[in-house]
Structure formats: structure tokens, C-alpha cells
Amino acid sequence: MYAQEIDAFRLYYSQTIHPELMRMERQRLRLLRLLLFSGVLLVGAFVIELYLNLLILTLALSIPITFYIAYLVYRVQEFRRKFKPNVVNLILHFINELPNYGQLAYDPRKFLPKDRFNLSKIFSTPAQYYVGEDYINGRVGEMPFEMCELSVREIARTDNKLEIIFEGVFLYAVFNEEAEGSMVIWPRQLRKHLTRSIKAFTWEGGENMDHEILNERFRERFLVYATEDTHVVGILSEPMQDSILEYVDRTGKDIYLSFHDREIYAAVTEQKDLLEPFIFQSNLNFELVKEFYEDISLILRVVSDFDRTH
């Protein structure tokens, strides 16, 4: 199923996304020529100033040069600002046409609030540094969802420097039927970094539920904690466990999940800012676009599996 979806996306990329990338590539080349020409011009002006060594000439040129540099910075930022929304909207159009998805919308500057992040109970942190972007919302089956990219950091107790708590894609969805209980799923390999989060959830009544997970590979990869009133296997079904393992095996990324009554949270680590355009090299790269598509579609697939199996 995944291979067929990627083949369909590759065809869509060739027919729809690649032409848009070509148009943006022509803009990039024009911008690059402007930057190179400006660099030569500014170096020339600097050499003339040194040669003539006239204070009045230096002062006269400093103001227009400053404004010109500001103009160049604006042109670069404008290219970066337009590139990602153009490509993301095309990717969302493709996903929107797939079965079970709908009403997808994108806002490059919006992100989920810190209160919502904390309600997931995945990370216990004051999050003194909390920024985000690339907000996407829509529906998976009957479930409304919101997702965005987040960078969350806190002040370390040892040296007062900001240390990374989470960087990646964060999702929030609401199940359309009544459900009870709370459950959090953490990557087992990161247990030593999650001690505070595990203790906080345990304080609220969470208990280790690894014994209820029959999938041995899933037990090896993840810690499962839940409150006493939670039907663990009913929420974390076998197909969902298989989908999560498939995702982790394919991407190598860490995924966190939590369920609190009707609310679902997912967090997927991503160290780099995806789909940020290059200025000094080509952006005609299928793998770059494919990675962003996978980050969106695969995290939505977890929600889709939950919608389908419940």
C-alpha cells in the first residue's frame, strides 16, 4: 500500500510539483544573479572608497549601500517565504484527494499553543523556549486534527543553557466517539531522558502496561503507561502497533503517542527544518519534497488507523 502511494506521489510530483519547482528555480537563478552582481558592485564601491580615502564620499555612499543591502536581504527572505507555502499547498492537495482525508488547510506562521502541547503529557517541561510554524488542519475520516512543526527547549539546571526537549512534527486530533482513560507511549531507548515525564504521569495514576502488549517487537521499542481505567489493547490495536513499527523502521525517527479520553496526540522528531529552500544550489529535489510528504502523511496514517480500527 505504501509503495503504491509513493508511486502515485512520484507521478503527481512530475506532473504538478516539478513545474512549480521549475518556476521557483527560475526565480532563484534571477535572485542569485542579482546577488552576484551586487557583490561585485559592493566590492567595487569599497575598493574605490579605499583608493580615494575621502570621508565625505564614504559617508555619502554608506546610506544607499545600507538600504541596498536591506533590499537584498528582503529579496532573499521573500523567496524563502513564498517557496514553502507553494510546495506545501500542492502536497496537501495530493493528500486531500486520497480516501479518508479532507478539508486540509495550511498556515505557515500559525502553530499549536503551549497549553495544548502540555496537555499531551508526553513531555513534562516548563518549555521556556516554545516556537512553531507550518500549521495544518483538516479531517481524517470523521476526526478533526491539527498539526505543526515545533521547537521546544528548556533552561538546563546545570549551565542555564537551553537544551532541546522536542523538535519535530506535533499532532492533535479528537476521536468522534466517547472514550475513557489515559495512555502515553514513549520510545524505550530514550527512557533516561524521560524520567521526569514518566514520574509526572505516574503521579497522576499512570502505571506500566508493557505486560498487556503482546507484540514483542513493540514492547522492545516502546514504553506503554496507562491509567487503570484504560483499555490498552482496545486503543493500541495490533494494526496500529504494526503501523507505528513500520513507520519507525522506515524513517528511523522517534515517535511519541498519547491518548486522553477522546484526544489523541502524536509527536515525531525531526532535526532539520524541512522544505527550507536553498539559494546557492538547486531545489529540484524529489527526495526533499518526498520527506516532507512522508512526515505529514505517515503521522496522519496513525490517526487514520485509529479512526478505522475504532
Side-chain angles (χ1 to χ4, degrees), residues 32 59 98 127 174 204 213 225 254:
L32 186 58
L59 292 175
L98 296 175
V174 181
E204 296 183 10
I213 305 299
Y225 277 70
D254 296 312

Side-chain angles (χ1 to χ4, degrees), residues 154-259:
E154 70 177 27
I155 298 175
R157 299 177 181 178
T158 53
D159 54 12
N160 282 332
K161 294 182 179 179
L162 286 172
E163 60 179 7
I164 297 173
I165 299 301
F166 172 73
E167 284 188 344
V169 179
F170 184 76
L171 175 140
Y172 165 67
V174 181
F175 189 41
N176 65 336
E177 294 182 8
E178 291 298 327
E180 290 185 359
S182 292
M183 178 167 59
V184 184
I185 301 158
W186 291 286
R188 188 175 292 273
Q189 65 175 356
L190 299 177
R191 182 170 191 162
K192 64 180 182 180
H193 303 294
L194 297 164
T195 304
R196 186 172 57 192
S197 301
I198 295 171
K199 284 183 177 179
F201 188 61
T202 302
W203 180 259
E204 296 183 10
E207 301 175 3
N208 185 278
M209 295 291 180
D210 289 349
H211 58 278
E212 292 199 23
I213 305 299
L214 301 181
N215 188 322
E216 185 176 349
R217 285 189 64 232
F218 196 90
R219 284 201 311 273
E220 291 173 354
R221 301 292 285 272
F222 293 98
L223 291 166
V224 179
Y225 277 70
T227 53
E228 188 177 357
D229 58 342
T230 306
H231 184 204
V232 175
V233 179
I235 296 174
L236 191 61
S237 64
E238 285 288 340
M240 183 179 290
Q241 292 178 43
D242 291 336
S243 292
I244 295 169
L245 287 171
E246 179 190 1
Y247 175 82
V248 172
D249 290 340
R250 183 163 55 249
T251 66
K253 298 175 182 178
D254 296 312
I255 184 169
Y256 308 76
L257 292 162
S258 69
F259 305 85

